[in-house]
Amino acid sequence: MADVKSTFREVLPKQGQLSVEDVTTMVLCKPKLLPLKSMTLEKLEKMQQAAQDTLRQQEMAVKKNRKKPTD
């Protein structure tokens, strides 16, 4: 292998302080609460429930009309 020279030189200060921050620590953040159901899904469920209710009402009306005796 050939010797590869680095393009960056390491420079150490001759006076003053040298600080090294190699310690990584965990940073805790506020938990984010996600909704269990999205708003769109809730709207779709309401629309589906409303459609089922109207269908049931129509079926009940048809059954009542059939049960009525015609004289």
Side-chain angles (χ1 to χ4, degrees), residues 9-18:
R9 278 187 336 155
E10 183 176 317
V11 178
L12 295 174
K14 295 192 177 174
Q15 27 174 286
Q17 293 182 347
L18 175 65

Side-chain angles (χ1 to χ4, degrees), residues 37-54:
K37 291 184 179 179
S38 68
M39 294 299 290
T40 307
L41 182 59
E42 287 181 10
K43 286 180 184 177
L44 286 173
E45 286 178 346
K46 285 179 184 177
M47 288 172 50
Q48 185 179 12
Q49 186 65 36
Q52 286 178 348
D53 290 343
T54 56

Side-chain angles (χ1 to χ4, degrees), residues 13-59:
K14 295 192 177 174
Q15 27 174 286
Q17 293 182 347
L18 175 65
S19 65
V20 178
E21 295 182 15
D22 279 343
V23 181
T24 56
T25 60
M26 298 277 292
V27 176
L28 300 177
C29 61
K30 190 183 246 185
K32 295 179 180 169
L33 299 176
L34 298 174
L36 296 177
K37 291 184 179 179
S38 68
M39 294 299 290
T40 307
L41 182 59
E42 287 181 10
K43 286 180 184 177
L44 286 173
E45 286 178 346
K46 285 179 184 177
M47 288 172 50
Q48 185 179 12
Q49 186 65 36
Q52 286 178 348
D53 290 343
T54 56
L55 183 62
R56 283 189 194 122
Q57 289 174 356
Q58 289 174 356
E59 288 175 351

